[in-house]
């Protein structure tokens, strides 16, 4: 039986890397589109590249250069591959940054979707298409929780662009008969989340504080509430949408909400950090540790021009039709992210000469490197050797 071929835009991102793993395990040939850049940004899929059976071989992972702002490159790749399934995950996906680069965000998110749909219509109209829609389309919500029937009221250039992408996907489904589905995904995080997103910013900085690498960091609105799940669970829902006989639109989330404040306090608890609010409001609020030191400040720069206070999913349709259920709960999500970032911070502490702060875990982690160096006669300079 011939293997299915899947094309993923945004394959080097959080969702793209998990989806690539998922599809490879399902036996797909996986193709990814990446932008040409002077820096190599493949770290999230590097582990797939190292597995010879997965990378650049028939039935494995193959990469092509392309750009969602360039229709010719999109058409060339789609015409060449003739994929069975197309997953459009590529985007300028940071909501706050979309206020700073609204035109670029719209070009990539909105018109990029149109370019892909046009290419599918021209070259492989039987392909099944998944559009990564977003809970940010709901914005200033009219009801909670939000379902497929809730009206959109986006509050950012990113959210507005996603609404266009959603509508043009529905239009191509109705006008040309494409098997095109929208997944309205609520917040989904992981150890691979970008470090400028609030959840990863929290776990990254708290682990650094734990090891004495920094004193404090800053956030914006602590009271914003979100429906947080794990990206690894959500990519399964993407795939399930394209396995249905009929295309459709689905809300994907956990059905639970937690505030940024809750995420912060849960992460601190997992690290054994005793922190508490000073009880003040707005930018005067701070979190302090048991020694009275400030570990978190509120900075008005991190507030959006128009805030979204609550995003809360009603995933009833996805659960009923797709038979999908999230497996990783909120507390487990936080633990996974904290554990991952603690290991990163431990490596940084070692490189900064603070090995006494991290103890046996660092010694264990660095042992294979030292053994390799000793085997091949490689000298590793250290601050201690230089002083000696």
């Amino acid at each position: 039986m011939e293997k299915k071929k899947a094309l993923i835009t945004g394959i080097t991102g959080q969702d793209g890397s998990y989806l690539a793993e998922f599809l490879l395990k399902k036996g797909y040939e996986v193709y990814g589109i990446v932008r040409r850049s002077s820096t190599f940004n493949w770290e999230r899929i590097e582990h797939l590249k190292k597995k010879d059976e997965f990378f650049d071989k028939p039935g494995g992972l193959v990469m092509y250069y392309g750009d969602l702002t360039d229709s010719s490159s999109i058409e060339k790749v789609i015409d060449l591959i003739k994929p069975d399934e197309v997953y459009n995950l590529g985007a300028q996906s940071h909501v706050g940054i979309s206020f700073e680069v609204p035109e670029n965000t719209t070009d990539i998110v909105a018109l990029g979707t149109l370019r892909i749909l046009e290419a599918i219509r021209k070259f492989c109209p039987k392909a099944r298409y998944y559009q990564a829609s977003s809970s940010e389309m709901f914005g200033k919500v009219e009801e909670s929780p939000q379902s497929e029937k809730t009206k959109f009221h986006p509050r950012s250039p990113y959210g507005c662009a996603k609404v266009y992408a959603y509508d043009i996907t529905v239009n191509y489904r109705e006008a040309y008969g494409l098997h095109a589905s929208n997944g309205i995904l609520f917040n989904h995080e992981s150890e691979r989340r970008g470090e400028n997103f609030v959840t990863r910013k929290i776990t990254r900085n708290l682990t650094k504080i734990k090891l004495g690498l920094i004193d404090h960091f800053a956030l914006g609105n602590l009271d914003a509430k979100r429906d947080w799940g794990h990206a690894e669970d959500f990519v399964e829902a993407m795939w399930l949408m394209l396995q249905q006989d009929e295309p459709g639109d689905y809300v994907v989330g956990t059905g639970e909400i937690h505030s940024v404040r809750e995420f912060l306090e849960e992460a601190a608890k997992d690290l054994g950090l005793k922190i508490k609010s000073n009880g003040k409001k707005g930018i005067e609020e701070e979190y302090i540790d048991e020694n009275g030191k400030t570990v978190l400040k509120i900075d008005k720069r991190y507030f959006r021009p128009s805030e979204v206070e609550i995003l809360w999913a009603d995933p009833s349709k996805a659960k009923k039709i797709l038979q999908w259920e999230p497996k990783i709960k909120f507390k487990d999500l936080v633990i996974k992210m904290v554990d991952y970032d603690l290991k990163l911070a431990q490596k940084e502490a070692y490189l900064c000469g603070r090995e006494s702060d991290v103890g046996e875990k660092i010694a264990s982690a660095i042992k294979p490197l030292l053994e390799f160096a000793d085997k091949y006669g490689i000298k590793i300079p250290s601050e201690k050797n230089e002083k000696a």
Side-chain angles (χ1 to χ4, degrees), residues 94-245:
H94 195 287
V95 177
I97 292 174
S98 77
F99 285 98
E100 299 176 21
V101 288
E103 184 177 342
N104 177 257
T105 298
T106 303
D107 192 10
I108 296 170
V109 175
L111 295 181
T113 301
L114 176 61
R115 294 178 185 113
I116 294 173
L117 287 166
E118 263 295 283
I120 292 173
R121 183 183 70 83
K122 291 178 181 178
F123 302 109
C124 53
K126 292 185 179 180
R128 297 188 172 193
Y129 175 75
Y130 170 81
Q131 171 58 31
S133 294
S134 169
S135 60
E136 288 290 336
M137 299 188 303
F138 295 119
K140 189 176 182 180
V141 299
E142 296 187 5
E143 61 180 4
S144 285
Q146 295 90 52
S147 72
E148 295 82 4
K149 297 179 181 179
T150 304
K151 290 182 179 179
F152 298 144
H153 188 152
R155 301 268 283 173
S156 66
Y158 172 77
C160 292
K162 281 292 187 181
V163 170
Y164 175 86
Y166 175 96
D167 284 339
I168 200 66
T169 298
V170 173
N171 179 254
Y172 269 63
R173 180 170 73 210
E174 295 175 350
Y176 303 112
L178 297 186
H179 192 295
S181 298
N182 282 293
I184 308 173
L185 270 57
F186 280 64
N187 291 66
H188 45 292
E189 317 298 315
S190 76
E191 309 89 300
R192 300 178 193 175
R193 193 52 143 157
E195 293 184 16
N196 57 345
F197 287 82
V198 66
T199 51
R200 190 76 194 286
K201 192 173 182 182
I202 289 170
T203 58
R204 195 78 172 93
N205 284 291
L206 283 181
T207 53
K208 288 181 180 180
I209 288 172
K210 173 72 175 179
L211 298 183
L213 294 173
I214 61 172
D215 297 321
H216 67 275
F217 67 108
L219 292 175
N221 183 5
L222 296 183
D223 296 316
K225 295 181 175 67
R226 295 292 184 267
D227 186 325
W228 275 307
H230 196 288
E232 193 169 10
D233 286 340
F234 283 41
V235 299
E236 181 186 16
M238 299 176 190
W239 176 76
L240 285 169
M241 290 178 208
L242 299 197
Q243 311 317 305
Q244 306 305 305
D245 292 334

Side-chain angles (χ1 to χ4, degrees), residues 177 224 254 259 303:
T254 68
S259 66
F303 284 81

Side-chain angles (χ1 to χ4, degrees), residues 311-328:
L311 293 173
W312 180 10
D314 175 5
S316 302
K317 180 181 176 181
K319 290 184 176 183
K320 181 180 179 180
I321 297 177
L322 304 180
Q323 296 293 297
W324 175 83
E325 288 280 350
K327 300 178 183 68
I328 301 172

Side-chain angles (χ1 to χ4, degrees), residues 41 59 88 112 117 171 202 228-229 246 255 257 270 344 347 355:
N41 187 32
N88 181 26
L117 287 166
N171 179 254
I202 289 170
W228 275 307
E246 297 296 327
I257 54 169
D270 290 339
L344 278 185
K347 292 176 183 177
E355 58 267 46

